[in-house]
C-alpha cells in the first residue's frame, strides 16, 4: 500500500451538469466535467491532477499515434439509494490494466494508485452518476505513449488519463449476432487478452461489414480453424447449454472479462454448473436446433448482460427463446443490479466504496 496519492485538483468554473440531458444518454458521447491526468517519465508516475475535461496537446510524432502503444479499461460506478457511491470490482481492472501494460512494454501502475485515482475523479464528479435503473458512470482509464520518436521501440514517456461518462444501456435490444469465420480478432501469441487499442481498430472493418448486413455484433472464432467460439466485439460470449453455463476459457486470445468472472461466481452461488471449455460453432448450431441452447448473452462492463436474440452461422439464422423467458440471464442481471446499486448484500466484496 502506497501513501495517499497526492492529486492536485482544479475545478471547472462552468459545470455542464445542468445542461446535460440524463434521459437521453448515448453511450460514450457525454463526458463529465473533469478528468484525471498523470505523466510517466524518468521511470516514475508523477503530476497526478484532476482538471476540467477538455482537449490535450500532444506532439504529432508520439508513438501511440503511429504504432498503437495504447490501451484502456472500462469500469462502472453506481449510485446507491442511500447516496453511497461504489465502483464495481476495480481491483480486477487494475490487474488487467497492468497485464495490458506489460504486453505493450508500457509501465504498470500500482493497484492502490490506480484505485485511488479512480476514487478521486469519481468523487469530484459524483453528481454525474445517473440514478435511473440500468444507468451508471462509465469510467475509462487509458494510457498511451508520448515519446516523439518514429523508430519502432517502446516509448520512455506516457500519459495516463481517466475519463468519465454518464451512461445508459450499451445495447437496447436483443442482439442479432453473426459468427465470423473469415476475419480474425486475435491469434495465439497475439494480444487478444490485452485491452489494447489496436485490437479494437482491427475489429472495425469486419464489424462494419456485419452491421451493413444487419447484425449487431460479431462472435469471433479461433484464428486457426474458425471452428471454436472466442468472444464478441465488446463482451465475452456466454451460453447455457442444457442447464450448464458454458463459456470459452479466458486464455491468451480473449479478454478475461470482469463481468464473465462475476457471472461464473454467481452461477456457483445459484448452484448452476459451469464449464469453461471450448465451444464449437457446430455444437452451438446443434444445440440451437435441438432446443438445448437455453440462453446466450454477451457479458461485459458496457454491455452488462446483453441477450443474444439470434445467431447467424453457416448461412442460417437460429432464433433463441425471448430474453424474458430465460431463467439464468434474468436472474444474473437482477442479482447483479441489486448488488451494484446497494440493494442486496455484497457478499463477495465487489463494491469498492468511494468515500
Ligand atoms: N471482450 C471484449 C473484446 C471487450 O471489449 C469487453 C469489454 O470490456 C469484454 C470482453 C468484457 O470485459 P469486462 O467484463 O471486463 O468489461
Ligand atoms: C467495456 O465494456 O468497457 C468495453 O470496453 C466495451 C467497449 C465500449 C469497447
Amino acid at each position: 500500500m502506497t501513501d495517499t496519492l497526492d492529486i492536485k485538483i482544479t475545478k471547472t468554473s462552468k459545470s455542464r451538469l445542468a445542461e446535460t440531458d440524463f434521459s437521453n444518454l448515448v453511450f460514450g458521447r457525454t463526458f463529465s466535467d473533469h478528468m484525471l491526468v498523470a505523466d510517466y517519465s524518468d521511470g516514475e508516475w508523477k503530476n497526478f491532477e484532476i482538471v476540467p475535461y477538455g482537449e490535450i496537446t500532444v506532439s504529432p510524432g508520439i508513438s501511440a499515434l503511429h504504432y498503437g502503444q495504447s490501451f484502456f479499461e472500462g469500469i462502472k460506478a453506481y449510485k446507491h439509494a442511500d447516496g453511497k457511491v461504489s465502483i464495481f470490482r476495480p481491483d480486477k481492472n487494475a490487474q488487467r490494466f497492468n497485464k495490458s501494460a506489460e504486453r505493450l512494454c508500457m509501465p504498470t501502475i500500482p493497484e492502490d494508485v490506480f484505485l485511488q485515482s479512480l476514487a478521486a475523479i469519481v468523487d469530484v464528479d459524483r453528481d454525474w452518476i445517473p440514478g435511473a435503473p440500468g444507468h451508471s458512470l462509465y469510467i475509462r482509464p487509458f494510457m498511451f505513449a508520448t515519446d516523439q520518436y518514429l523508430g519502432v521501440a517502446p516509448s520512455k514517456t506516457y500519459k495516463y488519463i481517466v475519463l468519465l461518462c454518464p451512461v445508459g444501456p450499451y445495447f437496447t435490444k436483443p442482439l442479432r449476432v453473426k459468427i465470423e469465420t473469415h476475419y480474425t480478432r486475435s491469434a495465439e501469441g497475439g494480444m487478444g487478452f490485452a485491452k489494447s487499442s489496436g485490437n479494437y481498430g482491427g475489429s472495425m472493418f469486419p464489424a462494419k461489414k456485419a452491421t451493413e448486413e444487419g447484425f449487431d455484433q460479431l462472435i469471433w472464432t479461433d484464428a486457426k480453424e474458425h471452428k471454436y467460439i472466442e468472444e464478441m466485439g465488446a463482451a465475452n460470449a456466454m451460453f447455457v447449454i442444457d442447464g450448464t453455463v458454458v463459456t470459452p476459457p479466458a486464455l491468451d486470445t480473449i479478454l478475461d472479462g470482469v463481468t464473465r468472472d462475476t457471472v461464473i461466481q454467481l452461477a456457483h452461488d445459484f448452484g448452476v454448473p459451469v464449464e469453461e471449455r471450448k465451444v464449437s460453432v457446430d455444437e452451438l448450431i446443434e444445440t440451437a436446433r435441438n432446443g438445448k441452447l437455453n440462453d446466450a448473452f454477451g457479458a461485459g462492463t458496457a454491455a452488462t448482460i446483453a441477450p443474444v436474440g439470434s445467431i447467424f452461422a453457416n448461412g442460417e439464422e437460429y432464433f433463441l427463446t425471448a430474453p424474458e423467458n430465460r431463467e439464468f440471464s434474468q436472474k444474473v442481471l437482477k442479482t447483479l443490479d441489486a448488488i451494484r446499486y446497494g440493494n442486496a448484500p455484497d457478499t463477495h466484496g465487489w463494491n469498492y466504496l468511494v468515500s
Side-chain angles (χ1 to χ4, degrees):
M1 177 82 189
T2 17
D3 300 331
T4 307
L5 189 61
D6 192 14
I7 304 175
K8 183 179 166 209
I9 301 178
T10 309
K11 291 211 178 159
T12 180
S13 55
K14 197 179 175 314
S15 170
R16 285 175 282 104
L17 193 56
E19 69 212 40
T20 300
D21 181 3
F22 276 76
S23 59
N24 276 308
L25 294 169
V26 177
F27 183 94
R29 290 255 183 233
T30 305
F31 293 86
S32 74
D33 278 334
H34 300 91
M35 60 186 186
L36 181 137
V37 293
D39 298 311
Y40 183 89
S41 63
D42 303 320
E44 60 175 345
W45 284 106
K46 55 187 80 160
N47 309 334
F48 282 84
E49 260 196 88
I50 289 173
V51 294
Y53 172 84
E55 292 178 4
I56 55 166
T57 306
V58 292
S59 149
I62 62 171
S63 49
L65 292 176
H66 297 267
Y67 308 122
Q69 232 200 335
S70 164
F71 71 93
F72 65 97
E73 268 302 328
I75 310 167
K76 277 178 173 171
Y78 296 84
K79 192 195 281 175
H80 301 198
D82 64 3
K84 281 199 192 105
V85 168
S86 64
I87 305 176
F88 192 71
R89 305 192 74 185
D91 51 322
K92 295 284 287 179
N93 298 86
Q95 288 152 19
R96 191 171 65 194
F97 186 92
N98 286 335
K99 269 196 200 162
S100 298
E102 276 167 14
R103 179 63 179 81
L104 289 157
C105 299
M106 295 166 73
T108 56
I109 295 188
E111 185 171 321
D112 64 302
V113 170
F114 182 83
L115 297 181
Q116 286 187 57
S117 71
L118 301 191
I121 183 68
V122 170
D123 186 34
V124 166
D125 276 345
R126 59 168 63 222
D127 291 344
W128 282 85
I129 309 175
H135 287 59
S136 57
L137 189 69
Y138 184 75
I139 308 172
R140 169 54 64 87
F142 63 108
M143 195 207 293
F144 60 95
T146 52
D147 275 9
Q148 278 190 77
Y149 176 51
L150 295 189
V152 181
S155 182
K156 290 190 173 59
T157 63
Y158 295 88
K159 225 176 225 321
Y160 167 63
I161 300 184
V162 185
L163 304 177
L164 304 176
C165 290
V167 295
Y170 189 72
F171 296 118
T172 47
K173 60 178 179 53
L175 304 174
R176 190 169 176 232
V177 301
K178 175 188 168 186
I179 297 195
E180 177 60 66
T181 51
H182 175 69
Y183 295 104
T184 293
R185 173 185 174 274
S186 82
E188 279 173 33
M191 56 178 185
F193 66 90
K195 218 162 159 55
S196 58
S197 308
N199 285 343
Y200 295 81
S203 74
M204 285 181 193
F205 181 72
K208 180 170 164 272
K209 287 190 79 161
T211 307
E212 284 163 1
E213 292 162 18
F215 299 104
D216 304 305
Q217 278 276 288
L218 288 179
I219 293 190
W220 298 103
T221 50
D222 71 282
K224 252 189 217 156
E225 299 176 277
H226 292 296
K227 195 172 160 189
Y228 297 100
I229 302 297
E230 297 251 294
E231 63 180 321
M232 294 190 191
N236 288 111
M238 305 194 81
F239 308 96
V240 180
I241 298 176
D242 205 13
T244 296
V245 174
V246 179
T247 193
L251 303 175
D252 69 343
T253 58
I254 73 170
L255 200 75
D256 187 359
V258 178
T259 318
R260 173 188 178 280
D261 182 79
T262 304
V263 171
I264 289 173
Q265 185 58 58
L266 288 177
H268 292 317
D269 294 354
F270 302 158
V272 175
V274 178
E275 289 175 6
E276 290 180 69
R277 62 159 169 88
K278 282 187 171 185
V279 186
S280 70
V281 177
D282 287 348
E283 178 184 359
L284 264 199
I285 293 175
E286 175 62 19
T287 56
R289 275 206 184 116
N290 67 19
K292 289 193 172 163
L293 184 58
N294 315 132
D295 208 335
F297 54 93
T301 298
T304 63
I305 303 297
V308 168
S310 69
I311 301 175
F312 184 83
N314 295 352
E316 252 188 84
E317 188 161 4
Y318 301 89
F319 292 87
L320 278 79
T321 323
E324 56 275 20
N325 298 330
R326 299 185 203 169
E327 204 183 324
F328 182 73
S329 53
Q330 290 288 311
K331 191 170 171 185
V332 164
L333 193 53
K334 248 176 100 179
T335 310
L336 248 183
D337 274 352
I339 297 170
R340 287 163 159 167
Y341 291 103
N343 298 323
D346 176 22
T347 50
H348 296 288
W350 285 336
N351 291 336
Y352 177 82
L353 288 175
V354 176
S355 54

